[in-house]
Amino acid sequence: MPDYAKITVDGQTHEFPIVQGTDGNRSIDISGLKEKTGCWSYDQGFANTASCRSSITYLDGDQGILRYRGYPIEEIADKSTFVETAYLLINGQLPTKPQLSEYSRLFTKHANLHEGMKSFFLGYPSTGHPMAMLSAMVCALSAYYPELVKPNPTQEEIKITAIELLAKIRTIAACTYKKTIGEPFMYARADLEYVNNFLHMMFSTPTQEYSPDPAVVSALKTLLILHADHEQNCSTSTVRMVGSSWSNLFASVSAGICALWGPLHGGANQKVLEMLEQIHADGGNTDKYIEKAKDPANPFRLMGFGHRVYKNYDPRAKFIKKKADDLLNALGIHDPLLEIAVKLEEKVLKDSYFQERKLYPNVDFYSGIIYKAIGIPTDMFTVMFAIGRLPGWIAHWIELKENKDKIGRPRQIYTGEMVRHYVPIDQRK
Ligand code: ACO
């Protein structure tokens, strides 16, 4: 097979090298396309474009395969912890025992926020969306750690910034919740590991310590791990794009949080639960909503279905569905929304509209049922996604630096007026 592709423009043929990943996938390297052919490439939504070289996450959407640094997601979700998964994604290797205990110790050491940051929360309206607070507060960390925001930090500075961020994001998340319910902020405890500490800051009060059911800790840990990375999705590409201008890690991640918020991306988990609640309030008539989603004249979509890359069952959704079942059983909760979700999925999988378009449940479809059972309010679901996704964002930001990637700067197909001349306001019609 030739290791180049030929592109003919205006009768002239030009060769472009084909590069191959370790997964065997081939890409045409079109660097120099404009120079050689006089044309740019056009790929709306980057659906056919590899934007970088990456060794972090392997994803095969047709087969439903997801691996972090080569390790199958099923093994990691089953056997690892969130802190260990973060170490793996960021450092490329599973940690040794001493490395892991040092990593965990640093997370606890850096968990609490600078006292000055508390005043920010006071200024937000209690109805403010937690994602707005999260992205702003993550960016605000840049102001509190100016020594960590150099354009070209050392490896040690990057390591500390990553730990500050990983440790503090759950504290910020918990503070946004406390702010909205009007309770005092809780400090992290030195004796608790990552997930338990988050639950403590969320649900303990000065007079009552929250003691979670082990099934809650296990379900939350699994969700965070399953969200930890997903190669070049919208928010990760945003982090890489912002980082490519040498913006600091806090600012780059803050931009990623904003990208995640959208309902077509991480914001879908909130929308799924709202949709299930709406179907429930409407008498549980799933057929009605399936028909609405299939109607081309109706913009309504079944939230939690479909994926740009997975054209098969999202392996994370399978795992989460089982976890949701286990958690509700362990807590003795009967949630009619789970029944609606299962019924909806069964019908969708048999429906030719969804089959033809290869639309399967995605990671967001069942996650809201777990968050709800834990007691996390609906508008915080995407915040939970952001906590989970943080190790991936950090790993990609570091990789971008290591690969010395160029600043992101796509071209466009211009569709506007070519040239017009200014008309004074009193002469305009
Ligand atoms: N419900 C109904 N129809 C759908 C859905 C859905 N959830 N998703 C896609 N379709 C249809 C589209 O209308 C389109 O139909 P057409 O070919 O007749 O025009 C076709 O399937 C292809 O859809 P696109 O929007 O072109 O697919 P794309 O890859 O651009 O979008 C996306 C993927 C955004 C995830 C889409 O499936 C969607 O909107 N899903 C609902 C939101 C959601 O769950 N997002 C979370 C994704 S996972 C994550 O980000 C963590």
Side-chain angles (χ1 to χ4, degrees), residues 175-336:
C175 288
T176 65
Y177 175 61
K178 292 293 195 190
K179 158 78 195 180
T180 54
I181 58 168
E183 279 184 6
F185 301 144
M186 298 299 294
Y187 288 96
R189 270 176 40 185
D191 59 322
L192 295 178
E193 59 79 50
Y194 196 89
V195 173
N196 288 73
N197 232 337
F198 168 70
L199 290 167
H200 154 73
M201 288 188 277
M202 281 285 288
F203 300 122
S204 292
T205 66
T207 51
Q208 191 157 16
E209 198 55 39
Y210 172 74
S211 164
D213 189 295
V216 166
V217 180
S218 163
L220 191 51
K221 178 212 85 162
T222 306
L223 277 187
L224 295 180
I225 291 176
L226 293 175
H227 284 86
D229 194 43
H230 212 237
E231 54 119 298
Q232 310 308 321
N233 55 84
C234 175
S235 56
T236 304
S237 300
T238 302
V239 170
R240 289 188 83 121
M241 174 66 96
V242 175
S244 78
S245 74
W246 294 5
S247 275
N248 69 70
L249 183 60
F250 301 124
S252 305
V253 166
S254 168
I257 291 170
C258 292
L260 187 75
W261 193 0
L264 296 190
H265 189 17
N269 57 12
Q270 173 175 347
K271 296 291 168 204
V272 169
L273 206 89
E274 287 168 1
M275 176 187 79
L276 294 175
E277 276 166 350
Q278 196 183 345
I279 298 175
H280 181 53
D282 207 3
N285 186 352
T286 46
D287 291 338
K288 178 175 160 189
Y289 288 83
I290 291 175
E291 288 314 311
K292 249 171 90 170
K294 286 160 55 173
D295 177 359
N298 194 325
F300 175 80
R301 286 187 169 195
L302 280 185
M303 300 314 280
F305 284 89
H307 199 277
R308 169 59 63 78
V309 181
Y310 288 119
K311 301 302 169 197
N312 199 329
Y313 211 104
D314 182 336
R316 301 167 301 172
K318 255 187 227 163
F319 229 91
I320 293 175
K321 183 181 181 185
K322 163 123 191 21
K323 272 281 162 194
D325 239 0
D326 293 350
L327 180 67
L328 296 195
N329 283 337
L331 300 183
I333 296 176
H334 169 76
D335 189 343

Side-chain angles (χ1 to χ4, degrees), residues 23 32 55-57 77-78 80 127 198 211 226 267 270 273 363:
D23 57 0
S55 61
I56 301 168
T57 287
D78 200 30
S80 188
T127 50
F198 168 70
S211 164
L226 293 175
Q270 173 175 347
L273 206 89
V363 67

Side-chain angles (χ1 to χ4, degrees), residues 90-91 103 107 147-166 247-250 393-403:
I90 293 168
N91 298 284
Y103 211 51
F107 276 20
E147 69 283 11
L148 299 178
V149 301
K150 299 172 188 163
N152 283 304
T154 62
Q155 276 197 343
E156 189 54 24
E157 285 163 342
I158 291 176
K159 185 182 142 199
I160 297 297
T161 317
I163 286 168
E164 289 285 3
L165 197 42
L166 283 160
S247 275
N248 69 70
L249 183 60
F250 301 124
W393 288 334
I394 294 172
H396 283 272
W397 187 90
I398 293 173
E399 186 177 69
L400 163 95
K401 290 253 163 219
E402 285 172 353
N403 290 356

